Amino acid sequence: QRTIMSKNYARQSHGQLRPRSRTLTSVHENILNDIVYPTRIVGKRTRVRDGNNKTLKVYLDPADMKDVDYKLKTFSAVYKALTNKQTEFIFPIQE
């Protein structure tokens, strides 16, 4: 289970900061890694289009292309449902 704590998080004893593993970015990264588990993420890019539309492009390990190729749309739908972020899962072009 992943828990996101707000920036205004304060503990009972003063001086303790919010753990890095409880930040929004960290939780979303871990969710992404859990969704694509059998394969590895080899790269990520954020594309910003007109109208401030952001799309996260996630590049997966091409060695697992045969095992994971048919699941890419499912990965995107699950990540969108959990984090409300537009995501495109692709394999890098091999030259």
Side-chain angles (χ1 to χ4, degrees):
Q1 178 176 341
R2 312 256 185 239
T3 305
I4 300 171
M5 295 180 177
S6 71
K7 286 184 175 182
N8 300 328
Y9 176 75
R11 296 207 177 200
Q12 291 177 350
S13 62
H14 301 289
Q16 288 185 338
L17 301 175
R18 171 183 56 164
R20 296 283 183 213
S21 64
R22 302 290 195 265
T23 62
L24 179 74
T25 304
S26 175
V27 170
H28 284 191
E29 290 292 321
N30 288 326
I31 289 172
L32 186 62
N33 286 329
D34 289 346
I35 289 173
V36 300
Y37 169 66
T39 186
R40 292 183 314 118
I41 297 173
V42 295
K44 285 183 273 192
R45 303 287 184 272
T46 302
R47 180 171 184 187
V48 181
R49 293 188 177 176
D50 294 337
N52 203 18
N53 294 331
K54 293 182 182 179
T55 302
L56 179 66
K57 289 189 174 187
V58 179
Y59 295 95
L60 301 175
D61 189 9
D64 299 327
M65 186 181 298
K66 292 179 183 175
D67 300 333
V68 183
D69 192 28
Y70 64 95
K71 298 180 186 178
L72 298 181
K73 289 183 181 179
T74 305
F75 288 164
S76 183
V78 170
Y79 192 69
K80 171 78 172 169
L82 293 174
T83 63
N84 201 24
K85 289 184 177 180
Q86 282 296 118
T87 311
E88 182 180 349
F89 293 90
I90 54 177
F91 294 99
I93 298 171
Q94 303 239 344
E95 295 181 14

